[in-house]
Amino acid sequence: MPMEFVDHHIRDKYLKVDRLPHIWCPGCGIGSILNAFLLGMEKAEVDPDQVIVVSGIGCTGRVPGYLNMDTFHTTHGRAIPFAVGLKLARPDMHVVVFSGDGDLVTIGGNHFIHAARRNNDLLVILVNNFNYGMTGGQVGATTPTGAITTTTPYGNLERPFNIPYLAAAAGAVYVARWTSLHVRRLAWSIAEAFHRKGFRVIEVLSQCPTTFGRRNKMPEGIDMLRWYRDNCVIQHYADPKDAEIVPGRKIIIGKFIDITDGVETFEEKAWNLVRKFLGDRIEIPFRKGLRCPKEIPG
Amino acid sequence: MSLSPGIYFMSGNSAVAEGAIFAGCRFFAGYPITPSSELAERMAARLPRVGGIFIQMEDEIGSIMAIIGASWGGLKAMTATSGPGFSLMQESIGFAAITETPIVICDVQRAGPSTGMPTYVGQGDVMQAKWGSHGPYEIIAVSPSSVQECFDLTIRAFNLAEKYRVPVIILMDERLSHLYEKVRVPRKEDVIIVNRKLPKSKKNFLPYLADADLIPPMPPIGEGYHFHVTGLTHDERGYPKIDPEVQDRLVRRLCDKIRYHADEIIDIQTYMMDNAKIAVVAFGSVVRPAIKAIKLARSKGIKAGLINLRTIWPFPEKIIREYAEKVHTFIVAEINYGQIVHKVRESVNGKAKVVLLPKMGGAIHTPEEILNEIMEAR
């Protein structure tokens, strides 16, 4: 049988294909996560023209640049406050923050917790690769204790953030964690989160063989995926306190929190205040047509 | 809505807030800091009533990034701060410059460095306003010297930001921010309000392709333009390009769009400069004792005049150069240990004497201090 060459992908329409190939290393997980995001957006049946994607700096920060949508690649750590302003100005848009762990919870940690506390209506896709990949593999606030990085050559002395616990404690109304291996469930979770409102966080554990894995006995991308396969347990509505990632222990993934029904977003409060003064003289377009898609398959 | 035409009595901080609302500002993000806080307080009370949004952010970095986001969301947006907060905003000012985002920042200068004297006047942020972020870029800075000018120049700041797609800084100072004076609010139809230019068509649209005026039209979000905005060096498509040629083209345009329009942007005010032999150069609160000093000098028969730098950046080099042919001495009075004096010296280029009359911060010059310097220079 003659070999058939496929020169396009089914979701090319969402990509700026003239920008490919992308910058990510062989074995990196960001591509799979991006694909899951596009699949999730498709499942959610939202109009891509109404989805604005914002990132900060880092490997994951490069995601928006490949999307054939309105996208913003901002400064290091500041994707969330940029998105806060953008979303307040245009409450009718789906604003997605798609960035990395170093960007969102290390340098940008303060913005993360305050946007969660305020319940800003943002969907945050937080790709956690446990280190600063783009700058060569330095330690971050998510690096497991004891892990070897270029700035912890004798092992990480610090304790990492437990992101679901941090997000939940700060007030996030939707909190889930998946991995770059669990792409189908991740896509469902993204689809579901599109139809929630408020500060929604989906942490996606990814693999970074180039700057993290190879220093920590997982030299190939597949090695980190095996780690996820062998150690992740799906446990919906688990206590986020138990979600800490400790090498050698089970990693809890799944949906931790989903309490978005009836919780007013900051955008609703701010624009309702305007409405109080101006009444019908001002038309405020909030996101419309939110619905709950099919539950995430177990 | 914005204030109806008439005469009002208000502080400099309030006049900036009202000028902003008059200009169409509908988004304010800020963080409390003396001596600018009343500006945020006024915006918090006023914006919801005029259909705008106020948000107090977790810090000044969040504040400026939120206004950059809101500006891309289509609202005219501003923040206000003072020295320490202004320092925190510098990285994002560079981001606004390279992404060509219209924003207005009011920096109410206090005595620095560091925490310095929060409740006392300073003018130490003049160079930071121009050079504070890394890399080559241009911004516009205006400097009011009366409460009326706080109102008027804020409208102008928004117009310039929208027209040139550039961050515009209102370099205020503490003394002016807390000064109460009469403000005449004009009729809407008597004031020109500028709005950013929008692309004409989605067909073959390139988000960073500038028109002949070097300013690219700014696309709205959510309408299918599919544009990418990045702080990385980018080409006309908005795509990141790590390439010295693209960098050269972009940086030249970012700077030249301001430099080429400098004559249009610069709006300085002179007082008794017609036959002056001594020019006092001042801005902000210092303009006021300077005017008094000029009057005293004139009463003694000394031909002194004042150049009020209402536009500090781009610096009015040409105007200073022209006066350098006419006066023998420039006295630069500023509340710092010598900042704008360097620009004056550079513009004068040895054609006249340039004397710095500094104040370290905490107080403005007295008319007598300036007069003494004029007498010395005579």
Side-chain angles (χ1 to χ4, degrees), chain B residues 169-189:
Chain B
I169 295 152
I170 303 168
L171 269 179
M172 282 253 283
D173 59 54
E174 179 279 333
R175 194 54 60 91
L176 192 57
S177 75
H178 292 148
L179 181 71
Y180 276 74
E181 279 183 328
K182 194 170 78 174
V183 174
R184 189 186 64 83
V185 173
R187 296 185 308 164
K188 265 258 143 87
E189 53 270 36

PDB file of all heavy atoms in Angstrom, chain B residues 169-189:
ATOM      1  N   ILE B 169       2.833  59.832  30.322  1.00  0.00           N
ATOM      2  CA  ILE B 169       3.011  60.002  31.756  1.00  0.00           C
ATOM      3  C   ILE B 169       2.686  61.436  32.137  1.00  0.00           C
ATOM      4  O   ILE B 169       3.181  62.380  31.516  1.00  0.00           O
ATOM      5  CB  ILE B 169       4.464  59.635  32.153  1.00  0.00           C
ATOM      6  CG1 ILE B 169       4.682  58.141  31.892  1.00  0.00           C
ATOM      7  CG2 ILE B 169       4.730  59.976  33.623  1.00  0.00           C
ATOM      8  CD1 ILE B 169       6.084  57.752  31.591  1.00  0.00           C
ATOM      9  N   ILE B 170       1.823  61.581  33.133  1.00  0.00           N
ATOM     10  CA  ILE B 170       1.561  62.908  33.683  1.00  0.00           C
ATOM     11  C   ILE B 170       2.499  63.047  34.875  1.00  0.00           C
ATOM     12  O   ILE B 170       2.308  62.403  35.902  1.00  0.00           O
ATOM     13  CB  ILE B 170       0.088  63.053  34.125  1.00  0.00           C
ATOM     14  CG1 ILE B 170      -0.864  62.755  32.951  1.00  0.00           C
ATOM     15  CG2 ILE B 170      -0.166  64.446  34.700  1.00  0.00           C
ATOM     16  CD1 ILE B 170      -2.316  62.604  33.375  1.00  0.00           C
ATOM     17  N   LEU B 171       3.551  63.857  34.696  1.00  0.00           N
ATOM     18  CA  LEU B 171       4.523  64.049  35.777  1.00  0.00           C
ATOM     19  C   LEU B 171       4.012  65.139  36.704  1.00  0.00           C
ATOM     20  O   LEU B 171       4.283  66.317  36.494  1.00  0.00           O
ATOM     21  CB  LEU B 171       5.892  64.418  35.199  1.00  0.00           C
ATOM     22  CG  LEU B 171       6.854  63.288  34.893  1.00  0.00           C
ATOM     23  CD1 LEU B 171       8.146  63.842  34.316  1.00  0.00           C
ATOM     24  CD2 LEU B 171       7.159  62.428  36.111  1.00  0.00           C
ATOM     25  N   MET B 172       3.284  64.720  37.695  1.00  0.00           N
ATOM     26  CA  MET B 172       2.757  65.656  38.690  1.00  0.00           C
ATOM     27  C   MET B 172       3.752  65.734  39.837  1.00  0.00           C
ATOM     28  O   MET B 172       4.724  65.001  39.889  1.00  0.00           O
ATOM     29  CB  MET B 172       1.448  65.100  39.254  1.00  0.00           C
ATOM     30  CG  MET B 172       0.272  65.287  38.371  1.00  0.00           C
ATOM     31  SD  MET B 172      -0.758  66.561  39.075  1.00  0.00           S
ATOM     32  CE  MET B 172      -1.545  65.643  40.388  1.00  0.00           C
ATOM     33  N   ASP B 173       3.456  66.589  40.809  1.00  0.00           N
ATOM     34  CA  ASP B 173       4.217  66.522  42.046  1.00  0.00           C
ATOM     35  C   ASP B 173       3.286  66.710  43.232  1.00  0.00           C
ATOM     36  O   ASP B 173       2.148  67.149  43.082  1.00  0.00           O
ATOM     37  CB  ASP B 173       5.395  67.508  42.048  1.00  0.00           C
ATOM     38  CG  ASP B 173       4.968  68.949  41.874  1.00  0.00           C
ATOM     39  OD1 ASP B 173       4.113  69.419  42.654  1.00  0.00           O
ATOM     40  OD2 ASP B 173       5.494  69.612  40.946  1.00  0.00           O
ATOM     41  N   GLU B 174       3.779  66.352  44.396  1.00  0.00           N
ATOM     42  CA  GLU B 174       2.929  66.327  45.604  1.00  0.00           C
ATOM     43  C   GLU B 174       2.283  67.672  45.849  1.00  0.00           C
ATOM     44  O   GLU B 174       1.092  67.756  46.182  1.00  0.00           O
ATOM     45  CB  GLU B 174       3.775  65.898  46.817  1.00  0.00           C
ATOM     46  CG  GLU B 174       3.016  65.849  48.133  1.00  0.00           C
ATOM     47  CD  GLU B 174       2.840  67.201  48.800  1.00  0.00           C
ATOM     48  OE1 GLU B 174       3.688  68.100  48.582  1.00  0.00           O
ATOM     49  OE2 GLU B 174       1.837  67.397  49.523  1.00  0.00           O
ATOM     50  N   ARG B 175       3.054  68.753  45.695  1.00  0.00           N
ATOM     51  CA  ARG B 175       2.516  70.074  46.024  1.00  0.00           C
ATOM     52  C   ARG B 175       1.282  70.384  45.180  1.00  0.00           C
ATOM     53  O   ARG B 175       0.276  70.872  45.676  1.00  0.00           O
ATOM     54  CB  ARG B 175       3.625  71.130  45.819  1.00  0.00           C
ATOM     55  CG  ARG B 175       3.341  72.479  46.425  1.00  0.00           C
ATOM     56  CD  ARG B 175       3.006  72.402  47.911  1.00  0.00           C
ATOM     57  NE  ARG B 175       4.061  71.829  48.743  1.00  0.00           N
ATOM     58  CZ  ARG B 175       5.026  72.545  49.329  1.00  0.00           C
ATOM     59  NH1 ARG B 175       5.082  73.835  49.172  1.00  0.00           N
ATOM     60  NH2 ARG B 175       5.929  71.944  50.078  1.00  0.00           N
ATOM     61  N   LEU B 176       1.378  70.026  43.924  1.00  0.00           N
ATOM     62  CA  LEU B 176       0.267  70.306  43.010  1.00  0.00           C
ATOM     63  C   LEU B 176      -0.915  69.367  43.260  1.00  0.00           C
ATOM     64  O   LEU B 176      -2.073  69.756  43.175  1.00  0.00           O
ATOM     65  CB  LEU B 176       0.782  70.147  41.577  1.00  0.00           C
ATOM     66  CG  LEU B 176      -0.096  70.643  40.458  1.00  0.00           C
ATOM     67  CD1 LEU B 176      -0.430  72.108  40.636  1.00  0.00           C
ATOM     68  CD2 LEU B 176       0.614  70.410  39.128  1.00  0.00           C
ATOM     69  N   SER B 177      -0.601  68.131  43.610  1.00  0.00           N
ATOM     70  CA  SER B 177      -1.672  67.143  43.807  1.00  0.00           C
ATOM     71  C   SER B 177      -2.586  67.535  44.962  1.00  0.00           C
ATOM     72  O   SER B 177      -3.765  67.213  44.967  1.00  0.00           O
ATOM     73  CB  SER B 177      -1.073  65.753  44.043  1.00  0.00           C
ATOM     74  OG  SER B 177      -0.535  65.658  45.344  1.00  0.00           O
ATOM     75  N   HIS B 178      -2.019  68.231  45.945  1.00  0.00           N
ATOM     76  CA  HIS B 178      -2.804  68.617  47.121  1.00  0.00           C
ATOM     77  C   HIS B 178      -3.209  70.085  47.113  1.00  0.00           C
ATOM     78  O   HIS B 178      -3.777  70.582  48.086  1.00  0.00           O
ATOM     79  CB  HIS B 178      -2.033  68.283  48.402  1.00  0.00           C
ATOM     80  CG  HIS B 178      -1.904  66.806  48.617  1.00  0.00           C
ATOM     81  ND1 HIS B 178      -0.817  66.233  49.227  1.00  0.00           N
ATOM     82  CD2 HIS B 178      -2.735  65.781  48.264  1.00  0.00           C
ATOM     83  CE1 HIS B 178      -0.988  64.917  49.255  1.00  0.00           C
ATOM     84  NE2 HIS B 178      -2.145  64.629  48.679  1.00  0.00           N
ATOM     85  N   LEU B 179      -2.893  70.771  46.039  1.00  0.00           N
ATOM     86  CA  LEU B 179      -3.258  72.187  45.925  1.00  0.00           C
ATOM     87  C   LEU B 179      -4.711  72.300  45.470  1.00  0.00           C
ATOM     88  O   LEU B 179      -5.130  71.584  44.564  1.00  0.00           O
ATOM     89  CB  LEU B 179      -2.331  72.849  44.898  1.00  0.00           C
ATOM     90  CG  LEU B 179      -2.525  74.342  44.640  1.00  0.00           C
ATOM     91  CD1 LEU B 179      -2.048  75.154  45.846  1.00  0.00           C
ATOM     92  CD2 LEU B 179      -1.752  74.755  43.392  1.00  0.00           C
ATOM     93  N   TYR B 180      -5.457  73.163  46.113  1.00  0.00           N
ATOM     94  CA  TYR B 180      -6.841  73.406  45.706  1.00  0.00           C
ATOM     95  C   TYR B 180      -6.911  74.713  44.946  1.00  0.00           C
ATOM     96  O   TYR B 180      -6.433  75.735  45.431  1.00  0.00           O
ATOM     97  CB  TYR B 180      -7.775  73.465  46.925  1.00  0.00           C
ATOM     98  CG  TYR B 180      -8.225  72.098  47.382  1.00  0.00           C
ATOM     99  CD1 TYR B 180      -7.348  71.257  48.065  1.00  0.00           C
ATOM    100  CD2 TYR B 180      -9.511  71.641  47.119  1.00  0.00           C
ATOM    101  CE1 TYR B 180      -7.742  70.005  48.475  1.00  0.00           C
ATOM    102  CE2 TYR B 180      -9.917  70.381  47.532  1.00  0.00           C
ATOM    103  CZ  TYR B 180      -9.027  69.565  48.205  1.00  0.00           C
ATOM    104  OH  TYR B 180      -9.430  68.307  48.605  1.00  0.00           O
ATOM    105  N   GLU B 181      -7.516  74.662  43.770  1.00  0.00           N
ATOM    106  CA  GLU B 181      -7.661  75.863  42.951  1.00  0.00           C
ATOM    107  C   GLU B 181      -8.952  75.775  42.151  1.00  0.00           C
ATOM    108  O   GLU B 181      -9.599  74.738  42.087  1.00  0.00           O
ATOM    109  CB  GLU B 181      -6.491  75.990  41.969  1.00  0.00           C
ATOM    110  CG  GLU B 181      -5.235  76.581  42.587  1.00  0.00           C
ATOM    111  CD  GLU B 181      -4.127  76.767  41.555  1.00  0.00           C
ATOM    112  OE1 GLU B 181      -4.028  75.984  40.588  1.00  0.00           O
ATOM    113  OE2 GLU B 181      -3.340  77.689  41.743  1.00  0.00           O
ATOM    114  N   LYS B 182      -9.199  76.884  41.487  1.00  0.00           N
ATOM    115  CA  LYS B 182     -10.360  76.972  40.614  1.00  0.00           C
ATOM    116  C   LYS B 182     -10.081  76.206  39.311  1.00  0.00           C
ATOM    117  O   LYS B 182      -8.988  76.314  38.762  1.00  0.00           O
ATOM    118  CB  LYS B 182     -10.587  78.453  40.302  1.00  0.00           C
ATOM    119  CG  LYS B 182     -11.910  78.789  39.703  1.00  0.00           C
ATOM    120  CD  LYS B 182     -12.085  80.297  39.691  1.00  0.00           C
ATOM    121  CE  LYS B 182     -11.291  80.918  38.561  1.00  0.00           C
ATOM    122  NZ  LYS B 182     -11.548  82.377  38.442  1.00  0.00           N
ATOM    123  N   VAL B 183     -11.075  75.466  38.852  1.00  0.00           N
ATOM    124  CA  VAL B 183     -10.950  74.784  37.565  1.00  0.00           C
ATOM    125  C   VAL B 183     -12.169  75.120  36.711  1.00  0.00           C
ATOM    126  O   VAL B 183     -13.303  74.999  37.177  1.00  0.00           O
ATOM    127  CB  VAL B 183     -10.876  73.245  37.736  1.00  0.00           C
ATOM    128  CG1 VAL B 183     -10.899  72.549  36.386  1.00  0.00           C
ATOM    129  CG2 VAL B 183      -9.619  72.856  38.492  1.00  0.00           C
ATOM    130  N   ARG B 184     -11.902  75.544  35.505  1.00  0.00           N
ATOM    131  CA  ARG B 184     -13.006  75.795  34.587  1.00  0.00           C
ATOM    132  C   ARG B 184     -13.169  74.558  33.706  1.00  0.00           C
ATOM    133  O   ARG B 184     -12.242  74.172  32.987  1.00  0.00           O
ATOM    134  CB  ARG B 184     -12.728  77.013  33.712  1.00  0.00           C
ATOM    135  CG  ARG B 184     -13.938  77.458  32.883  1.00  0.00           C
ATOM    136  CD  ARG B 184     -13.559  78.576  31.918  1.00  0.00           C
ATOM    137  NE  ARG B 184     -12.580  78.116  30.920  1.00  0.00           N
ATOM    138  CZ  ARG B 184     -12.897  77.452  29.800  1.00  0.00           C
ATOM    139  NH1 ARG B 184     -14.157  77.180  29.531  1.00  0.00           N
ATOM    140  NH2 ARG B 184     -11.958  77.071  28.962  1.00  0.00           N
ATOM    141  N   VAL B 185     -14.323  73.939  33.804  1.00  0.00           N
ATOM    142  CA  VAL B 185     -14.610  72.770  32.971  1.00  0.00           C
ATOM    143  C   VAL B 185     -15.311  73.250  31.708  1.00  0.00           C
ATOM    144  O   VAL B 185     -16.360  73.882  31.783  1.00  0.00           O
ATOM    145  CB  VAL B 185     -15.474  71.737  33.733  1.00  0.00           C
ATOM    146  CG1 VAL B 185     -15.903  70.600  32.810  1.00  0.00           C
ATOM    147  CG2 VAL B 185     -14.711  71.193  34.934  1.00  0.00           C
ATOM    148  N   PRO B 186     -14.715  72.980  30.560  1.00  0.00           N
ATOM    149  CA  PRO B 186     -15.290  73.489  29.303  1.00  0.00           C
ATOM    150  C   PRO B 186     -16.494  72.679  28.847  1.00  0.00           C
ATOM    151  O   PRO B 186     -16.795  71.626  29.411  1.00  0.00           O
ATOM    152  CB  PRO B 186     -14.138  73.341  28.321  1.00  0.00           C
ATOM    153  CG  PRO B 186     -13.338  72.207  28.840  1.00  0.00           C
ATOM    154  CD  PRO B 186     -13.495  72.208  30.334  1.00  0.00           C
ATOM    155  N   ARG B 187     -17.149  73.153  27.819  1.00  0.00           N
ATOM    156  CA  ARG B 187     -18.226  72.391  27.209  1.00  0.00           C
ATOM    157  C   ARG B 187     -17.612  71.275  26.375  1.00  0.00           C
ATOM    158  O   ARG B 187     -16.549  71.450  25.776  1.00  0.00           O
ATOM    159  CB  ARG B 187     -19.073  73.296  26.290  1.00  0.00           C
ATOM    160  CG  ARG B 187     -19.809  74.412  27.043  1.00  0.00           C
ATOM    161  CD  ARG B 187     -20.697  75.169  26.094  1.00  0.00           C
ATOM    162  NE  ARG B 187     -19.946  75.615  24.910  1.00  0.00           N
ATOM    163  CZ  ARG B 187     -20.513  76.037  23.780  1.00  0.00           C
ATOM    164  NH1 ARG B 187     -21.833  76.086  23.678  1.00  0.00           N
ATOM    165  NH2 ARG B 187     -19.785  76.440  22.754  1.00  0.00           N
ATOM    166  N   LYS B 188     -18.291  70.153  26.338  1.00  0.00           N
ATOM    167  CA  LYS B 188     -17.795  68.986  25.584  1.00  0.00           C
ATOM    168  C   LYS B 188     -17.431  69.352  24.152  1.00  0.00           C
ATOM    169  O   LYS B 188     -16.392  68.937  23.626  1.00  0.00           O
ATOM    170  CB  LYS B 188     -18.865  67.881  25.566  1.00  0.00           C
ATOM    171  CG  LYS B 188     -18.670  66.855  26.670  1.00  0.00           C
ATOM    172  CD  LYS B 188     -18.036  65.585  26.113  1.00  0.00           C
ATOM    173  CE  LYS B 188     -17.072  64.965  27.022  1.00  0.00           C
ATOM    174  NZ  LYS B 188     -16.966  64.156  27.974  1.00  0.00           N
ATOM    175  N   GLU B 189     -18.302  70.156  23.540  1.00  0.00           N
ATOM    176  CA  GLU B 189     -18.107  70.451  22.115  1.00  0.00           C
ATOM    177  C   GLU B 189     -16.922  71.380  21.866  1.00  0.00           C
ATOM    178  O   GLU B 189     -16.480  71.540  20.733  1.00  0.00           O
ATOM    179  CB  GLU B 189     -19.397  71.010  21.489  1.00  0.00           C
ATOM    180  CG  GLU B 189     -20.014  72.193  22.212  1.00  0.00           C
ATOM    181  CD  GLU B 189     -21.029  71.772  23.277  1.00  0.00           C
ATOM    182  OE1 GLU B 189     -20.807  70.729  23.934  1.00  0.00           O
ATOM    183  OE2 GLU B 189     -22.024  72.493  23.470  1.00  0.00           O
TER     184      GLU B 189
END
